[in-house]
Amino acid sequence: MLEGYNYEFLTNIAKDPGSHHYIGIDNPDLKAVISRFSPDAILIYGWAYKSHLSTMRYFKGKIPLWFRGDSTLIDEKRSFKDIARTLFLKWVYKNIDKAFYVGSANKAYFEKFGLKPGQLKFAPHAIDNDRFVMDRFDETQTLRNKLGIVDGEILVLFAGKLERKKSPDLLSQAFLELNTNDVHLLFVGNGELEEQLKALALRQAQGDNKIHFIDFQNQTQMPLIYQACNLFVLPSQGPGETWGLAVNEAMAAGRAVLVSDKVGCASDLVYRGQNGDIFRSNDLNDLKSKLSKLLSDPSKLEQMGIKSKHIISDWNIDKQVRIFLKTLND
């Protein structure tokens, strides 16, 4: 990941280093290093770290400040705390010159906190599509055979942390209540709900195990896992599912997608009835209804997967880079 360009690591003096809290990234020599480098612009990913925010404030008006983040208003609640947060974020974003929004929900977020149309540029949230497009047919067949899935059966996939905000338990419950023949469910990942999900699957199996589990997988394995499934589901209830790049991955692999309305990418990537559907977050009945409809027509699922691949082809890293370069040269 570090090949092809110059880079430099800076000393982090944080007592508890890491991206899990504000003072976890503290680089006292950052401003001096940037000044010596004399860049034409500074691109900052996120403000919620000591070094990032102090850099934004220090270089305001000196060097063009570009910002990249994927926050949305999807989980916003009206309260006194929200009013205070709004005032604070308007102050934060006064420091930047341009923001590169990842999608429509992210654009609305930046607009709320004071950024004007001339400051906003669309640069799509993207993955390395080519890795997921590459045909892994033989490996996918091996995986399906290992799971006991025969030709003609449908495989539904959840891939991600088995945690409450992603609601894998809601998907498991919907799957079990539908009790659909010739359909399997695969969970790929680990997390706090793992044992609970496995225990529920075991109780319901009754000699016909159609819920499968695979531990967290390296990114090299994920393309074949997506290609082994027929439908990818991301049932997140939030907060914090600001985008859901797993949806990009599934679509690049040519798969239909079903997501909750709390998933940030839903309004941009999911075309209802064309490449999948969107259900109301934490609504079991709506999830069951949408899931049942999608599973009822395997040939339509295949067509939806083709549509997914077409839609996501324009959400790519090359386009993102071209937008950065064009902005720099304008």
Side-chain angles (χ1 to χ4, degrees):
M1 292 180 68
L2 298 176
E3 293 179 358
Y5 59 91
N6 295 326
Y7 62 89
E8 182 176 353
F9 287 106
L10 302 183
T11 301
N12 184 5
I13 64 170
K15 291 182 179 179
D16 180 19
S19 59
H20 55 290
H21 63 140
Y22 175 74
I23 58 174
I25 300 178
D26 187 358
N27 315 102
D29 55 345
L30 177 57
K31 299 183 189 69
V33 170
I34 292 175
S35 297
R36 286 198 303 271
F37 185 67
S38 189
D40 295 303
I42 301 172
L43 177 58
I44 298 175
Y45 283 77
W47 59 264
Y49 307 108
K50 182 177 180 180
S51 284
H52 291 205
L53 188 54
S54 64
T55 297
M56 289 165 62
R57 297 185 64 193
Y58 180 80
F59 286 104
K60 179 184 178 182
K62 301 173 184 175
I63 297 174
L65 289 168
W66 296 356
F67 187 84
R68 180 80 162 163
D70 61 6
S71 296
T72 73
L73 303 173
I74 292 174
D75 297 309
E76 186 177 49
K77 298 177 181 178
R78 295 183 178 276
S79 64
F80 176 78
K81 184 178 180 181
D82 180 58
I83 294 172
R85 176 174 173 270
T86 297
L87 293 173
F88 172 72
L89 288 176
K90 284 185 175 182
W91 171 78
V92 168
Y93 291 123
K94 279 185 178 179
N95 291 286
I96 68 174
D97 298 293
K98 293 191 183 297
F100 294 87
Y101 64 91
V102 303
S104 56
N106 183 220
K107 182 183 181 183
Y109 166 89
F110 284 128
E111 289 173 336
K112 173 173 179 176
F113 298 120
L115 290 168
K116 307 303 180 187
Q119 295 179 279
L120 294 171
K121 298 280 186 179
F122 172 58
H125 228 339
I127 58 163
D128 182 3
N129 288 346
D130 291 342
R131 281 202 312 111
F132 294 87
V133 169
M134 190 180 301
D135 189 2
R136 306 279 290 270
F137 179 78
D138 290 341
E139 293 168 281
T140 64
Q141 290 304 107
T142 299
L143 175 60
R144 286 175 68 94
N145 291 338
K146 184 177 179 180
L147 296 174
I149 302 168
V150 302
D151 289 345
E153 291 188 323
I154 294 174
L155 178 60
V156 178
L157 171 67
F158 171 96
K161 290 182 179 178
L162 302 179
E163 59 185 358
R164 299 199 181 279
K165 81 170 186 178
K166 291 186 180 291
S167 297
D169 50 337
L170 187 72
L171 175 58
S172 180
Q173 185 178 353
F175 177 80
L176 290 169
E177 290 188 12
L178 284 177
N179 193 27
T180 306
N181 292 327
D182 303 325
V183 180
H184 294 248
L185 173 61
L186 172 61
F187 289 103
V188 177
N190 302 100
E192 61 184 345
L193 297 180
E194 184 175 352
E195 294 307 316
Q196 173 186 324
L197 290 167
K198 287 181 176 178
L200 178 61
L202 186 62
R203 287 198 302 271
Q204 298 292 328
Q206 297 179 347
D208 186 18
N209 184 21
K210 290 187 176 180
I211 300 183
H212 313 275
F213 295 86
I214 297 178
D215 288 338
F216 170 83
Q217 296 292 297
N218 187 280
Q219 271 292 308
T220 58
Q221 296 298 106
M222 288 310 299
L224 76 91
I225 289 174
Y226 287 114
Q227 290 180 32
C229 81
N230 304 92
L231 172 67
F232 175 74
V233 183
L234 186 57
S236 304
Q237 62 177 316
E241 195 68 79
T242 53
W243 183 260
L245 281 171
V247 178
N248 293 60
E249 295 173 348
M251 289 175 62
R255 295 300 173 254
V257 292
L258 174 61
V259 306
S260 83
D261 57 6
K262 291 290 188 179
V263 176
C265 70
S267 58
D268 294 288
L269 298 185
V270 184
Y271 294 25
R272 295 175 186 265
Q274 296 186 47
N275 74 314
D277 211 339
I278 302 168
F279 73 94
R280 291 185 297 274
S281 169
N282 213 27
D283 186 328
L284 177 63
N285 289 330
D286 196 35
L287 172 56
K288 286 167 58 178
S289 174
K290 302 288 173 57
L291 187 58
S292 177
K293 185 176 180 179
L294 289 169
L295 296 177
S296 67
D297 191 344
S299 62
K300 183 68 180 295
L301 274 182
E302 186 175 352
Q303 291 302 311
M304 285 182 166
I306 294 171
K307 181 68 173 180
S308 278
K309 188 179 291 188
H310 174 72
I311 293 168
I312 207 64
S313 64
D314 198 41
W315 293 70
N316 60 71
I317 294 173
D318 286 344
K319 182 173 182 178
Q320 193 182 107
V321 172
R322 286 196 302 271
I323 291 165
F324 290 153
L325 293 176
K326 185 179 186 302
T327 304
L328 190 64
N329 294 320
D330 281 348

